[in-house]
Amino acid sequence: MLGWGALALAGSLSGCVEAVPQDVIEAVENIDRDLMELRAAEFSPNDYTRFAHQWMALKSRVQADEDLIRWPWEPNDLEIALRQLQEEGSHTVARLTKERESLRRSAEDKIARVEDRFRMMILQVSAIDSRLVLGQKPVETDLLMKQAHAFYEQGRYDRSLDASDRAAQNLATQAAVLSSELGRYANRDRISRWQEMAKDTVTWSRIHRTSAIVISKADRVLTLYRNGQKVLAYPVRLGFNGIREKRYQGDGATPEGRYRISSKRGQGQTQFYRALVLDYPNEDDRRRYRFGRKTGQIPTSRAIGGQIEIHGVENELMAQTLGCVMLDNPKMVLLYDRVDKGTPVTIVGALHEQNSVALTLAALDDRREET
Amino acid sequence: MDKRFAMLPIICALLILTACAKPPREQIEAAEQAIKEAQASGASTYVPDEYAKIEGTLAALKKEETDQEGKFALFRDYGKVEQLAINAKSEAERLKTEATKKKEEAKAAALQAQQVAQEAVKTTLELVAKAPVGKDRAALESIKADAEALKASLNQVQMAIDTADYPTAQTKAKAIHEKSQAVSQEIEAALAKIGRGKPSAAKKK
């Protein structure tokens, strides 16, 4: 009787034991699914490869062991290994979820910071009319930021970060270009020389008891002196690349130097309402031009240019000139009537250290580290 | 009778030797080759998780082969190795097809985006060319620089396509298209604005 009971117990126990419980297999399969959803194979290939290798090794054992019947007291190494993989996999999923979220936040944060800096740079550069100094760089930055957004939307945060990083580098290059091209506006010696030039012009006006004009490019202001006294100051518009130092014909820059009015063109003699033609290029301009040609800074196909004028407005909607100094027509009339052929016109970059260009360069430099 | 008994060990030895299982070399090599081909077709890029698993299967297969080799010759059984090799080969072939399909889709999407971007840039450049020469052109100078930058960026799309980096090519092309449309709108607005003014003749400046 006892013998039959023992036999029945052993039989029922051995018959109920599965080789590997289905729940543990499903749990590992779920972990695999979670890792795939996390794009672990792309985002953290080493982690996923390790998991996949272990999973495939155990899976092959599961498939080979599936018809095996075990005694209940026999240790099931395969189940132990699967439970271990389940535990390790769960940790990996938790860690990668955290890391991925952190990467997502980094990408989001980087996009926001670079875009903010880019926006600020556009505003600052636009305020000092130096967009053209940057050439194709702003568009490159814009394209990189669009890419950073696209990769972010696709969940490719590493690529998004890479694009934002390159955009940030591009912005740093732009700041460096501005600093190199417009650095003279922040150069104390250069500003002193400009101040000296302006002072000489005012002194000349006082000594010769006549008119003289000083134009500050950074301030975009034309000041008329009479007998050494300031008579009027008008806002002006410059060339489309006016903030730069004029180097050759067609560069859109407004020249800096000491000039004189070589001729006056009244109504009907100019398309720009009234015009005061300057004697650009002077000897300094020619010397700089020759040097630029010699050193290859100026393309050989480019001439030195000319016809630089202080003139009125042909089209009210026009914001910039090709290198001239433009005044509103009512102000142009007042100026025109107060100057003569031979009146000195001194055009300088800036008259004080805290000029708009220097302040912009300093602001850009401050923000360079932020991205 | 003695002679027959004397032959018994030799017969047993022969039986053992002939019964000794050998690794399914041909199937293993076929699986390895199929995995290499899947990799070459871009499986590690386009189906990375499945490719990692197939590599895992290959590693399991090799371990099983090593385990069997470590056993006494009579107890070796390469049945599992063979089954794994067959599965790995068939899975690798599936991955190759899948990766090739995904790669082709990515390439087609990149080429399509490139074409759209090229057309958008062409339109932008045509608009720039329409702008009046002379004084009025000044307002369009920065836009012109943008258009030139977009044109130059198209080369980067081609470079990404040449290196089979289709996701980069596609996102770059889409960015160019988007920016190009914005620049075109800007030009049209500028043209409408300055179009009201009289175009000036080009002159020395």
Side-chain angles (χ1 to χ4, degrees):
Chain A
M1 188 70 180
L2 269 171
W4 281 110
L7 198 63
L9 180 67
S12 65
L13 281 171
S14 63
C16 290
V17 174
E18 288 176 273
V20 178
Q22 193 56 31
D23 70 308
V24 70
I25 295 171
E26 280 170 11
V28 177
E29 278 172 347
N30 285 340
I31 286 165
D32 186 26
R33 211 166 296 126
D34 289 346
L35 287 171
M36 284 198 284
E37 274 173 24
L38 276 169
R39 289 181 163 181
E42 294 167 60
F43 165 60
S44 186
N46 289 342
D47 279 313
Y48 189 74
T49 300
R50 194 165 48 246
F51 171 83
H53 279 216
Q54 286 178 26
W55 175 214
M56 288 302 106
L58 295 176
K59 201 173 183 178
S60 69
R61 282 178 61 192
V62 168
Q63 281 160 355
D65 278 3
E66 62 191 359
D67 296 326
L68 220 87
I69 299 166
R70 290 180 193 282
W71 294 109
W73 54 84
E74 262 191 311
N76 188 341
D77 293 344
L78 182 53
E79 185 183 340
I80 293 166
L82 278 165
R83 291 211 183 275
Q84 206 176 334
L85 180 62
Q86 180 194 351
E87 198 185 330
E88 281 172 17
S90 300
H91 287 309
T92 307
V93 168
R95 180 169 51 81
L96 291 187
T97 304
K98 211 170 155 188
E99 282 177 17
R100 193 165 158 76
E101 176 57 16
S102 164
L103 192 66
R104 188 197 65 76
R105 265 189 265 120
S106 297
E108 189 180 49
D109 184 50
K110 186 86 185 179
I111 286 176
R113 273 186 294 138
V114 178
E115 270 186 344
D116 181 46
R117 189 170 172 226
F118 187 35
R119 224 177 354 256
M120 288 305 293
M121 182 175 261
I122 288 172
L123 288 174
Q124 286 165 327
V125 164
S126 161
I128 58 168
D129 282 342
S130 52
R131 162 65 186 85
L132 282 175
V133 174
L134 300 172
Q136 301 184 351
K137 293 275 173 225
V139 166
E140 288 169 13
T141 308
D142 202 348
L143 293 179
L144 283 168
M145 287 319 294
K146 281 183 165 53
Q147 274 187 281
H149 271 290
F151 282 131
Y152 180 85
E153 295 303 323
Q154 292 165 15
R156 294 175 168 183
Y157 305 128
D158 49 346
R159 284 194 169 214
S160 172
L161 267 172
D162 178 55
S164 298
D165 277 338
R166 283 189 289 136
Q169 282 165 17
N170 199 293
L171 284 177
T173 307
Q174 290 183 49
V177 167
L178 282 173
S179 197
S180 153
E181 289 285 330
L182 307 177
R184 65 189 197 284
Y185 286 89
N187 182 305
R188 200 168 287 178
D189 293 342
R190 191 68 183 261
I191 293 168
S192 295
R193 281 209 298 281
W194 283 330
Q195 286 169 335
E196 207 56 44
M197 282 165 68
K199 199 175 155 192
D200 289 349
T201 306
V202 176
T203 305
W204 190 93
S205 157
R206 193 183 67 242
I207 293 168
H208 293 86
R209 305 192 65 76
T210 185
S211 303
I213 293 170
V214 174
I215 297 164
S216 163
K217 294 204 320 185
D219 299 323
R220 283 173 192 73
V221 167
L222 178 150
T223 309
L224 175 70
Y225 293 89
R226 183 110 196 146
N227 304 331
Q229 297 298 310
K230 185 172 158 181
V231 178
L232 52 87
Y234 291 148
V236 294
R237 285 173 261 182
L238 303 174
F240 61 85
N241 206 5
I243 207 73
R244 275 178 145 169
E245 198 166 12
K246 188 156 189 69
R247 292 160 64 212
Y248 52 82
Q249 185 180 342
D251 63 4
T254 301
E256 293 155 21
R258 288 189 172 103
Y259 303 101
R260 283 181 184 273
I261 294 171
S262 56
S263 67
K264 290 176 72 177
R265 290 178 182 164
Q267 242 175 338
Q269 295 173 302
T270 172
Q271 64 189 99
F272 301 112
Y273 188 62
R274 282 173 179 80
L276 304 168
V277 184
L278 305 186
D279 62 349
Y280 172 89
N282 62 23
E283 197 39 54
D284 285 344
D285 297 320
R286 287 184 208 283
R287 201 180 50 248
R288 269 198 302 271
Y289 173 75
R290 280 194 298 269
F291 180 74
R293 285 281 294 263
K294 203 173 157 186
T295 54
Q297 291 169 318
I298 296 174
T300 47
S301 57
R302 298 287 190 168
I304 192 166
Q307 297 280 13
I308 298 291
E309 302 169 352
I310 299 170
H311 59 61
V313 181
E314 179 199 21
N315 178 350
E316 283 299 337
L317 297 163
M318 217 159 55
Q320 293 158 324
T321 74
L322 287 177
C324 296
V325 176
M326 184 161 69
L327 283 89
D328 292 343
N329 290 345
K331 295 184 174 82
M332 187 63 210
V333 179
L334 295 173
L335 178 72
Y336 188 85
D337 292 341
R338 283 171 165 81
V339 295
D340 302 302
K341 184 180 170 184
T343 296
V345 177
T346 297
I347 306 176
V348 297
L351 289 168
H352 45 88
E353 285 179 22
Q354 299 292 305
N355 63 76
S356 59
V357 182
L359 292 174
T360 297
L361 293 179
L364 289 174
D365 204 44
D366 284 347
R367 299 205 64 173
R368 198 180 301 190
E369 294 306 313
E370 289 173 27
T371 49
Chain B
M1 185 73 179
D2 283 351
K3 266 188 182 177
R4 271 182 290 163
F5 279 116
M7 289 295 285
L8 202 61
I10 299 163
I11 292 163
C12 286
L14 276 171
L15 274 171
I16 289 165
L17 283 171
T18 50
C20 185
K22 285 194 175 74
R25 194 57 24 225
E26 202 178 310
Q27 283 92 334
I28 294 172
E29 280 168 10
E32 283 176 332
Q33 182 58 30
I35 291 170
K36 265 186 202 164
E37 283 173 18
Q39 211 262 347
S41 71
S44 57
T45 307
Y46 292 95
V47 276
D49 29 36
E50 292 185 85
Y51 182 73
K53 280 185 202 134
I54 197 89
E55 280 194 320
T57 304
L58 185 67
L61 179 160
K62 293 213 164 152
K63 188 181 177 300
E64 178 64 19
E65 187 188 3
T66 311
D67 288 351
Q68 292 302 326
E69 277 167 1
K71 286 181 182 173
F72 178 62
L74 255 184
F75 300 122
R76 283 177 196 160
D77 176 5
Y78 288 102
K80 191 175 161 190
V81 173
E82 189 175 354
Q83 192 53 50
L84 284 171
I86 291 166
N87 290 350
K89 182 177 177 275
S90 122
E91 184 63 4
E93 283 166 352
R94 188 186 69 78
L95 288 192
K96 184 184 168 186
T97 310
E98 178 94 8
T100 306
K101 190 179 157 219
K102 285 195 172 182
K103 192 176 176 180
E104 282 306 313
E105 282 169 1
K107 187 179 178 181
L111 288 172
Q112 164 76 9
Q114 183 191 33
Q115 198 188 340
V116 170
Q118 279 169 338
E119 279 163 17
V121 172
K122 194 178 161 214
T123 305
T124 305
L125 291 169
E126 281 168 3
L127 278 169
V128 169
K130 272 187 199 168
V133 292
K135 198 80 169 175
D136 306 293
R137 185 71 180 258
L140 292 167
E141 282 301 319
S142 65
I143 295 173
K144 194 177 160 191
D146 288 352
E148 287 301 323
L150 288 168
K151 189 180 165 191
S153 300
L154 286 171
N155 292 336
Q156 291 165 15
V157 176
Q158 188 57 52
M159 276 163 66
I161 289 172
D162 291 344
T163 55
D165 185 0
Y166 302 122
T168 297
Q170 194 184 356
T171 54
K172 182 135 244 162
K174 280 185 175 173
I176 293 171
H177 174 226
E178 214 177 294
K179 179 70 185 170
S180 203
Q181 281 188 317
V183 173
S184 288
Q185 281 171 4
E186 212 181 325
I187 300 171
E188 277 164 352
L191 281 173
K193 195 173 155 189
I194 63 174
R196 281 178 264 162
K198 185 179 65 182
S200 310
K203 58 189 288 191
K204 213 158 53 159
K205 286 289 177 221

